[in-house]
């Protein structure tokens, strides 16, 4: 059975996918972050959203 946190994360990710505002790589990172059992930290989100599209800074 899904927890409330998992339901919210699933709905949030589905909305982001429908809007196509983020690339698939960032969505996968978010999905992994929100799927972990530990509580995500703000620094984790900053790392995802400040990285350029497609990966590492060159």
């Amino acid at each position: 059975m899904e927890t409330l946190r998992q339901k919210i994360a699933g709905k949030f990710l589905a909305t982001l996918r429908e809007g196509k505002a983020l690339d698939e790589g960032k969505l996968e990172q978010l999905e992994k972050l929100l799927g972990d059992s530990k509580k995500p930290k703000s620094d984790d989100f900053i790392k995802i959203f400040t990285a350029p599209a497609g990966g590492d800074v060159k």
Side-chain angles (χ1 to χ4, degrees):
M1 182 162 172
E2 279 187 321
T3 65
L4 180 60
R5 181 175 172 224
Q6 291 169 331
K7 287 180 184 179
I8 292 169
K11 192 176 267 193
F12 175 66
L13 291 168
T15 303
L16 287 176
R17 277 196 172 88
E18 288 174 10
K20 299 183 182 181
L22 295 174
D23 64 11
E24 194 60 36
K26 289 188 183 202
L27 286 170
E28 288 174 5
Q29 290 175 338
L30 272 174
E31 190 170 20
K32 184 179 179 219
L33 179 65
L34 295 174
D36 285 346
S37 60
K38 66 178 185 161
K39 188 175 175 183
K41 304 217 183 298
S42 59
D43 289 340
D44 299 327
F45 290 103
I46 290 170
K47 287 178 188 174
I48 292 172
F49 288 108
T50 57
D56 297 330
V57 176
K58 296 183 181 179

mmCIF file of all heavy atoms in Angstrom, residues 5 9 12-13 16-17 22-57:
data_model
loop_
_atom_site.group_PDB
_atom_site.id
_atom_site.type_symbol
_atom_site.label_atom_id
_atom_site.label_comp_id
_atom_site.label_asym_id
_atom_site.label_seq_id
_atom_site.Cartn_x
_atom_site.Cartn_y
_atom_site.Cartn_z
ATOM 1 N N ARG A 5 3.002 10.094 1.373
ATOM 2 C CA ARG A 5 4.165 10.736 0.738
ATOM 3 C C ARG A 5 4.390 10.196 -0.677
ATOM 4 O O ARG A 5 4.677 10.950 -1.603
ATOM 5 C CB ARG A 5 5.392 10.507 1.610
ATOM 6 C CG ARG A 5 6.633 11.136 1.075
ATOM 7 C CD ARG A 5 7.780 10.966 2.046
ATOM 8 N NE ARG A 5 8.989 11.413 1.410
ATOM 9 C CZ ARG A 5 10.130 10.787 1.459
ATOM 10 N NH1 ARG A 5 10.241 9.694 2.155
ATOM 11 N NH2 ARG A 5 11.172 11.256 0.839
ATOM 12 N N ALA A 9 4.130 12.357 -4.150
ATOM 13 C CA ALA A 9 5.284 12.386 -5.049
ATOM 14 C C ALA A 9 4.897 11.879 -6.437
ATOM 15 O O ALA A 9 5.297 12.463 -7.452
ATOM 16 C CB ALA A 9 6.427 11.554 -4.479
ATOM 17 N N PHE A 12 2.834 14.557 -8.182
ATOM 18 C CA PHE A 12 3.717 15.682 -8.500
ATOM 19 C C PHE A 12 4.551 15.373 -9.744
ATOM 20 O O PHE A 12 4.619 16.180 -10.670
ATOM 21 C CB PHE A 12 4.611 15.969 -7.291
ATOM 22 C CG PHE A 12 5.643 17.025 -7.527
ATOM 23 C CD1 PHE A 12 5.295 18.337 -7.760
ATOM 24 C CD2 PHE A 12 6.995 16.701 -7.494
ATOM 25 C CE1 PHE A 12 6.260 19.311 -7.961
ATOM 26 C CE2 PHE A 12 7.966 17.665 -7.693
ATOM 27 C CZ PHE A 12 7.591 18.972 -7.928
ATOM 28 N N LEU A 13 5.147 14.193 -9.781
ATOM 29 C CA LEU A 13 5.976 13.808 -10.924
ATOM 30 C C LEU A 13 5.139 13.656 -12.195
ATOM 31 O O LEU A 13 5.582 14.032 -13.282
ATOM 32 C CB LEU A 13 6.737 12.518 -10.612
ATOM 33 C CG LEU A 13 7.838 12.675 -9.557
ATOM 34 C CD1 LEU A 13 8.327 11.313 -9.101
ATOM 35 C CD2 LEU A 13 8.977 13.510 -10.084
ATOM 36 N N LEU A 16 4.508 17.098 -13.546
ATOM 37 C CA LEU A 16 5.705 17.636 -14.190
ATOM 38 C C LEU A 16 5.927 17.000 -15.562
ATOM 39 O O LEU A 16 6.332 17.681 -16.509
ATOM 40 C CB LEU A 16 6.939 17.409 -13.308
ATOM 41 C CG LEU A 16 7.062 18.280 -12.069
ATOM 42 C CD1 LEU A 16 8.281 17.868 -11.257
ATOM 43 C CD2 LEU A 16 7.163 19.741 -12.453
ATOM 44 N N ARG A 17 5.677 15.711 -15.672
ATOM 45 C CA ARG A 17 5.846 15.023 -16.967
ATOM 46 C C ARG A 17 4.846 15.543 -18.004
ATOM 47 O O ARG A 17 5.190 15.734 -19.159
ATOM 48 C CB ARG A 17 5.669 13.523 -16.799
ATOM 49 C CG ARG A 17 6.910 12.845 -16.340
ATOM 50 C CD ARG A 17 6.865 11.340 -16.540
ATOM 51 N NE ARG A 17 8.163 10.798 -16.244
ATOM 52 C CZ ARG A 17 8.558 10.411 -15.042
ATOM 53 N NH1 ARG A 17 7.739 10.494 -14.018
ATOM 54 N NH2 ARG A 17 9.782 9.931 -14.860
ATOM 55 N N LEU A 22 10.414 20.023 -17.609
ATOM 56 C CA LEU A 22 11.728 19.485 -17.257
ATOM 57 C C LEU A 22 12.101 18.366 -18.217
ATOM 58 O O LEU A 22 11.232 17.657 -18.715
ATOM 59 C CB LEU A 22 11.721 18.920 -15.837
ATOM 60 C CG LEU A 22 11.495 19.910 -14.709
ATOM 61 C CD1 LEU A 22 11.381 19.175 -13.385
ATOM 62 C CD2 LEU A 22 12.622 20.913 -14.643
ATOM 63 N N ASP A 23 13.414 18.204 -18.429
ATOM 64 C CA ASP A 23 13.849 17.100 -19.281
ATOM 65 C C ASP A 23 13.768 15.786 -18.497
ATOM 66 O O ASP A 23 13.627 15.769 -17.273
ATOM 67 C CB ASP A 23 15.255 17.339 -19.835
ATOM 68 C CG ASP A 23 16.341 17.398 -18.775
ATOM 69 O OD1 ASP A 23 16.069 17.056 -17.614
ATOM 70 O OD2 ASP A 23 17.463 17.785 -19.122
ATOM 71 N N GLU A 24 13.833 14.688 -19.217
ATOM 72 C CA GLU A 24 13.652 13.366 -18.614
ATOM 73 C C GLU A 24 14.729 13.060 -17.569
ATOM 74 O O GLU A 24 14.460 12.405 -16.570
ATOM 75 C CB GLU A 24 13.635 12.296 -19.703
ATOM 76 C CG GLU A 24 13.134 10.955 -19.236
ATOM 77 C CD GLU A 24 11.713 10.959 -18.694
ATOM 78 O OE1 GLU A 24 10.857 11.700 -19.217
ATOM 79 O OE2 GLU A 24 11.452 10.208 -17.735
ATOM 80 N N GLY A 25 15.949 13.537 -17.782
ATOM 81 C CA GLY A 25 17.024 13.294 -16.833
ATOM 82 C C GLY A 25 16.734 13.881 -15.464
ATOM 83 O O GLY A 25 16.944 13.237 -14.431
ATOM 84 N N LYS A 26 16.240 15.115 -15.446
ATOM 85 C CA LYS A 26 15.913 15.761 -14.176
ATOM 86 C C LYS A 26 14.713 15.092 -13.515
ATOM 87 O O LYS A 26 14.666 14.956 -12.297
ATOM 88 C CB LYS A 26 15.656 17.246 -14.378
ATOM 89 C CG LYS A 26 16.932 18.004 -14.687
ATOM 90 C CD LYS A 26 16.728 19.478 -14.704
ATOM 91 C CE LYS A 26 18.063 20.109 -15.093
ATOM 92 N NZ LYS A 26 18.160 21.474 -14.679
ATOM 93 N N LEU A 27 13.762 14.656 -14.336
ATOM 94 C CA LEU A 27 12.606 13.955 -13.774
ATOM 95 C C LEU A 27 13.025 12.641 -13.126
ATOM 96 O O LEU A 27 12.520 12.273 -12.064
ATOM 97 C CB LEU A 27 11.557 13.704 -14.858
ATOM 98 C CG LEU A 27 10.760 14.928 -15.290
ATOM 99 C CD1 LEU A 27 9.942 14.616 -16.523
ATOM 100 C CD2 LEU A 27 9.880 15.409 -14.168
ATOM 101 N N GLU A 28 13.962 11.939 -13.743
ATOM 102 C CA GLU A 28 14.457 10.686 -13.170
ATOM 103 C C GLU A 28 15.188 10.940 -11.858
ATOM 104 O O GLU A 28 15.033 10.184 -10.899
ATOM 105 C CB GLU A 28 15.376 9.976 -14.159
ATOM 106 C CG GLU A 28 14.647 9.377 -15.331
ATOM 107 C CD GLU A 28 15.577 8.808 -16.392
ATOM 108 O OE1 GLU A 28 16.806 8.797 -16.181
ATOM 109 O OE2 GLU A 28 15.068 8.387 -17.434
ATOM 110 N N GLN A 29 15.974 12.012 -11.805
ATOM 111 C CA GLN A 29 16.677 12.358 -10.570
ATOM 112 C C GLN A 29 15.683 12.696 -9.458
ATOM 113 O O GLN A 29 15.840 12.289 -8.316
ATOM 114 C CB GLN A 29 17.620 13.535 -10.791
ATOM 115 C CG GLN A 29 18.820 13.213 -11.640
ATOM 116 C CD GLN A 29 19.665 14.451 -11.921
ATOM 117 O OE1 GLN A 29 19.194 15.576 -11.838
ATOM 118 N NE2 GLN A 29 20.918 14.220 -12.264
ATOM 119 N N LEU A 30 14.645 13.458 -9.808
ATOM 120 C CA LEU A 30 13.617 13.799 -8.827
ATOM 121 C C LEU A 30 12.886 12.561 -8.336
ATOM 122 O O LEU A 30 12.607 12.419 -7.147
ATOM 123 C CB LEU A 30 12.598 14.765 -9.442
ATOM 124 C CG LEU A 30 12.894 16.233 -9.348
ATOM 125 C CD1 LEU A 30 11.863 17.027 -10.123
ATOM 126 C CD2 LEU A 30 12.942 16.687 -7.916
ATOM 127 N N GLU A 31 12.578 11.670 -9.268
ATOM 128 C CA GLU A 31 11.872 10.445 -8.912
ATOM 129 C C GLU A 31 12.705 9.611 -7.936
ATOM 130 O O GLU A 31 12.189 9.090 -6.952
ATOM 131 C CB GLU A 31 11.573 9.638 -10.172
ATOM 132 C CG GLU A 31 10.658 8.477 -9.962
ATOM 133 C CD GLU A 31 10.206 7.873 -11.273
ATOM 134 O OE1 GLU A 31 10.865 8.082 -12.305
ATOM 135 O OE2 GLU A 31 9.186 7.173 -11.249
ATOM 136 N N LYS A 32 13.996 9.518 -8.196
ATOM 137 C CA LYS A 32 14.885 8.777 -7.301
ATOM 138 C C LYS A 32 14.958 9.452 -5.931
ATOM 139 O O LYS A 32 14.879 8.790 -4.897
ATOM 140 C CB LYS A 32 16.279 8.674 -7.904
ATOM 141 C CG LYS A 32 17.210 7.850 -7.076
ATOM 142 C CD LYS A 32 18.577 7.732 -7.709
ATOM 143 C CE LYS A 32 19.443 6.902 -6.780
ATOM 144 N NZ LYS A 32 20.777 7.338 -6.668
ATOM 145 N N LEU A 33 15.102 10.770 -5.939
ATOM 146 C CA LEU A 33 15.194 11.518 -4.687
ATOM 147 C C LEU A 33 13.920 11.360 -3.851
ATOM 148 O O LEU A 33 13.983 11.110 -2.649
ATOM 149 C CB LEU A 33 15.458 12.995 -4.975
ATOM 150 C CG LEU A 33 15.553 13.923 -3.777
ATOM 151 C CD1 LEU A 33 16.754 13.571 -2.923
ATOM 152 C CD2 LEU A 33 15.639 15.358 -4.242
ATOM 153 N N LEU A 34 12.775 11.490 -4.488
ATOM 154 C CA LEU A 34 11.508 11.394 -3.760
ATOM 155 C C LEU A 34 11.161 9.955 -3.398
ATOM 156 O O LEU A 34 10.376 9.719 -2.486
ATOM 157 C CB LEU A 34 10.389 12.021 -4.590
ATOM 158 C CG LEU A 34 10.524 13.523 -4.827
ATOM 159 C CD1 LEU A 34 9.450 14.015 -5.783
ATOM 160 C CD2 LEU A 34 10.484 14.289 -3.528
ATOM 161 N N GLY A 35 11.744 8.987 -4.100
ATOM 162 C CA GLY A 35 11.466 7.587 -3.821
ATOM 163 C C GLY A 35 12.303 7.013 -2.696
ATOM 164 O O GLY A 35 11.971 5.969 -2.136
ATOM 165 N N ASP A 36 13.398 7.685 -2.353
ATOM 166 C CA ASP A 36 14.236 7.206 -1.254
ATOM 167 C C ASP A 36 13.459 7.247 0.055
ATOM 168 O O ASP A 36 12.546 8.051 0.226
ATOM 169 C CB ASP A 36 15.489 8.087 -1.107
ATOM 170 C CG ASP A 36 16.520 7.821 -2.187
ATOM 171 O OD1 ASP A 36 16.403 6.792 -2.877
ATOM 172 O OD2 ASP A 36 17.431 8.654 -2.340
ATOM 173 N N SER A 37 13.858 6.388 0.958
ATOM 174 C CA SER A 37 13.169 6.335 2.244
ATOM 175 C C SER A 37 13.554 7.499 3.157
ATOM 176 O O SER A 37 12.812 7.852 4.056
ATOM 177 C CB SER A 37 13.466 5.018 2.945
ATOM 178 O OG SER A 37 14.847 4.884 3.163
ATOM 179 N N LYS A 38 14.732 8.088 2.886
ATOM 180 C CA LYS A 38 15.135 9.216 3.727
ATOM 181 C C LYS A 38 14.465 10.506 3.259
ATOM 182 O O LYS A 38 14.051 10.633 2.106
ATOM 183 C CB LYS A 38 16.651 9.375 3.734
ATOM 184 C CG LYS A 38 17.238 9.770 2.408
ATOM 185 C CD LYS A 38 18.728 9.957 2.502
ATOM 186 C CE LYS A 38 19.232 10.462 1.170
ATOM 187 N NZ LYS A 38 20.511 11.065 1.234
ATOM 188 N N LYS A 39 14.379 11.445 4.150
ATOM 189 C CA LYS A 39 13.755 12.727 3.862
ATOM 190 C C LYS A 39 14.688 13.563 2.988
ATOM 191 O O LYS A 39 15.842 13.784 3.346
ATOM 192 C CB LYS A 39 13.481 13.438 5.184
ATOM 193 C CG LYS A 39 12.677 14.681 5.075
ATOM 194 C CD LYS A 39 12.379 15.207 6.463
ATOM 195 C CE LYS A 39 11.668 16.516 6.415
ATOM 196 N NZ LYS A 39 11.449 17.046 7.765
ATOM 197 N N PRO A 40 14.227 14.042 1.823
ATOM 198 C CA PRO A 40 15.104 14.843 0.962
ATOM 199 C C PRO A 40 15.427 16.190 1.593
ATOM 200 O O PRO A 40 14.612 16.770 2.311
ATOM 201 C CB PRO A 40 14.297 15.019 -0.322
ATOM 202 C CG PRO A 40 12.908 14.704 0.021
ATOM 203 C CD PRO A 40 12.919 13.849 1.246
ATOM 204 N N LYS A 41 16.610 16.669 1.314
ATOM 205 C CA LYS A 41 17.069 17.959 1.836
ATOM 206 C C LYS A 41 17.015 18.998 0.721
ATOM 207 O O LYS A 41 17.034 18.669 -0.464
ATOM 208 C CB LYS A 41 18.489 17.822 2.354
ATOM 209 C CG LYS A 41 18.648 16.735 3.397
ATOM 210 C CD LYS A 41 19.624 17.156 4.444
ATOM 211 C CE LYS A 41 19.885 16.112 5.472
ATOM 212 N NZ LYS A 41 18.848 15.666 6.266
ATOM 213 N N SER A 42 16.957 20.248 1.103
ATOM 214 C CA SER A 42 16.876 21.318 0.111
ATOM 215 C C SER A 42 18.093 21.315 -0.810
ATOM 216 O O SER A 42 17.971 21.602 -2.004
ATOM 217 C CB SER A 42 16.713 22.677 0.790
ATOM 218 O OG SER A 42 17.816 22.923 1.649
ATOM 219 N N ASP A 43 19.263 20.970 -0.291
ATOM 220 C CA ASP A 43 20.475 20.919 -1.115
ATOM 221 C C ASP A 43 20.351 19.895 -2.241
ATOM 222 O O ASP A 43 20.894 20.094 -3.330
ATOM 223 C CB ASP A 43 21.702 20.582 -0.260
ATOM 224 C CG ASP A 43 22.110 21.734 0.646
ATOM 225 O OD1 ASP A 43 21.714 22.887 0.357
ATOM 226 O OD2 ASP A 43 22.813 21.479 1.630
ATOM 227 N N ASP A 44 19.629 18.807 -1.985
ATOM 228 C CA ASP A 44 19.425 17.790 -3.020
ATOM 229 C C ASP A 44 18.622 18.363 -4.187
ATOM 230 O O ASP A 44 18.923 18.103 -5.353
ATOM 231 C CB ASP A 44 18.698 16.570 -2.441
ATOM 232 C CG ASP A 44 19.492 15.897 -1.334
ATOM 233 O OD1 ASP A 44 20.737 15.909 -1.400
ATOM 234 O OD2 ASP A 44 18.859 15.347 -0.411
ATOM 235 N N PHE A 45 17.606 19.157 -3.873
ATOM 236 C CA PHE A 45 16.798 19.779 -4.921
ATOM 237 C C PHE A 45 17.598 20.838 -5.675
ATOM 238 O O PHE A 45 17.477 20.964 -6.889
ATOM 239 C CB PHE A 45 15.528 20.406 -4.328
ATOM 240 C CG PHE A 45 14.531 19.395 -3.849
ATOM 241 C CD1 PHE A 45 14.388 19.133 -2.500
ATOM 242 C CD2 PHE A 45 13.737 18.702 -4.744
ATOM 243 C CE1 PHE A 45 13.462 18.205 -2.048
ATOM 244 C CE2 PHE A 45 12.815 17.769 -4.309
ATOM 245 C CZ PHE A 45 12.674 17.518 -2.953
ATOM 246 N N ILE A 46 18.417 21.572 -4.953
ATOM 247 C CA ILE A 46 19.247 22.604 -5.587
ATOM 248 C C ILE A 46 20.191 21.979 -6.597
ATOM 249 O O ILE A 46 20.374 22.492 -7.701
ATOM 250 C CB ILE A 46 20.009 23.420 -4.518
ATOM 251 C CG1 ILE A 46 19.022 24.283 -3.735
ATOM 252 C CG2 ILE A 46 21.093 24.283 -5.153
ATOM 253 C CD1 ILE A 46 19.605 24.943 -2.513
ATOM 254 N N LYS A 47 20.795 20.858 -6.243
ATOM 255 C CA LYS A 47 21.708 20.166 -7.163
ATOM 256 C C LYS A 47 20.995 19.760 -8.454
ATOM 257 O O LYS A 47 21.557 19.864 -9.537
ATOM 258 C CB LYS A 47 22.300 18.931 -6.492
ATOM 259 C CG LYS A 47 23.326 19.241 -5.449
ATOM 260 C CD LYS A 47 23.826 17.973 -4.797
ATOM 261 C CE LYS A 47 24.716 18.287 -3.610
ATOM 262 N NZ LYS A 47 25.105 17.071 -2.883
ATOM 263 N N ILE A 48 19.767 19.311 -8.330
ATOM 264 C CA ILE A 48 19.015 18.875 -9.515
ATOM 265 C C ILE A 48 18.636 20.061 -10.391
ATOM 266 O O ILE A 48 18.833 20.044 -11.600
ATOM 267 C CB ILE A 48 17.750 18.093 -9.099
ATOM 268 C CG1 ILE A 48 18.154 16.765 -8.453
ATOM 269 C CG2 ILE A 48 16.838 17.849 -10.306
ATOM 270 C CD1 ILE A 48 17.011 15.992 -7.840
ATOM 271 N N PHE A 49 18.098 21.111 -9.788
ATOM 272 C CA PHE A 49 17.559 22.215 -10.575
ATOM 273 C C PHE A 49 18.602 23.218 -11.061
ATOM 274 O O PHE A 49 18.329 23.989 -11.968
ATOM 275 C CB PHE A 49 16.447 22.930 -9.796
ATOM 276 C CG PHE A 49 15.193 22.112 -9.703
ATOM 277 C CD1 PHE A 49 14.819 21.530 -8.514
ATOM 278 C CD2 PHE A 49 14.414 21.898 -10.821
ATOM 279 C CE1 PHE A 49 13.673 20.764 -8.424
ATOM 280 C CE2 PHE A 49 13.273 21.131 -10.757
ATOM 281 C CZ PHE A 49 12.896 20.577 -9.549
ATOM 282 N N THR A 50 19.792 23.215 -10.479
ATOM 283 C CA THR A 50 20.804 24.144 -10.956
ATOM 284 C C THR A 50 21.750 23.504 -11.959
ATOM 285 O O THR A 50 22.505 24.213 -12.621
ATOM 286 C CB THR A 50 21.639 24.719 -9.798
ATOM 287 O OG1 THR A 50 22.243 23.658 -9.065
ATOM 288 C CG2 THR A 50 20.789 25.588 -8.889
ATOM 289 N N ALA A 51 21.713 22.201 -12.098
ATOM 290 C CA ALA A 51 22.566 21.526 -13.097
ATOM 291 C C ALA A 51 22.021 21.826 -14.484
ATOM 292 O O ALA A 51 20.802 21.880 -14.695
ATOM 293 C CB ALA A 51 22.567 20.026 -12.853
ATOM 294 N N PRO A 52 22.884 22.043 -15.454
ATOM 295 C CA PRO A 52 22.409 22.298 -16.822
ATOM 296 C C PRO A 52 21.719 21.065 -17.396
ATOM 297 O O PRO A 52 22.000 19.939 -16.983
ATOM 298 C CB PRO A 52 23.695 22.631 -17.591
ATOM 299 C CG PRO A 52 24.784 22.009 -16.806
ATOM 300 C CD PRO A 52 24.341 22.023 -15.383
ATOM 301 N N ALA A 53 20.852 21.279 -18.353
ATOM 302 C CA ALA A 53 20.149 20.170 -18.992
ATOM 303 C C ALA A 53 21.148 19.224 -19.644
ATOM 304 O O ALA A 53 22.082 19.656 -20.306
ATOM 305 C CB ALA A 53 19.179 20.718 -20.035
ATOM 306 N N GLY A 54 20.970 17.955 -19.407
ATOM 307 C CA GLY A 54 21.837 16.977 -20.033
ATOM 308 C C GLY A 54 22.984 16.514 -19.186
ATOM 309 O O GLY A 54 23.733 15.636 -19.581
ATOM 310 N N GLY A 55 23.166 17.057 -17.993
ATOM 311 C CA GLY A 55 24.197 16.492 -17.139
ATOM 312 C C GLY A 55 25.179 17.463 -16.544
ATOM 313 O O GLY A 55 24.813 18.539 -16.091
ATOM 314 N N ASP A 56 26.442 17.081 -16.586
ATOM 315 C CA ASP A 56 27.508 17.793 -15.884
ATOM 316 C C ASP A 56 27.878 19.104 -16.566
ATOM 317 O O ASP A 56 27.698 19.295 -17.753
ATOM 318 C CB ASP A 56 28.765 16.932 -15.814
ATOM 319 C CG ASP A 56 28.522 15.659 -15.013
ATOM 320 O OD1 ASP A 56 27.699 15.692 -14.105
ATOM 321 O OD2 ASP A 56 29.170 14.642 -15.331
ATOM 322 N N VAL A 57 28.425 19.986 -15.758
ATOM 323 C CA VAL A 57 28.959 21.244 -16.271
ATOM 324 C C VAL A 57 30.256 20.944 -17.016
ATOM 325 O O VAL A 57 31.080 20.188 -16.539
ATOM 326 C CB VAL A 57 29.219 22.226 -15.100
ATOM 327 C CG1 VAL A 57 29.863 23.497 -15.625
ATOM 328 C CG2 VAL A 57 27.948 22.526 -14.357
#
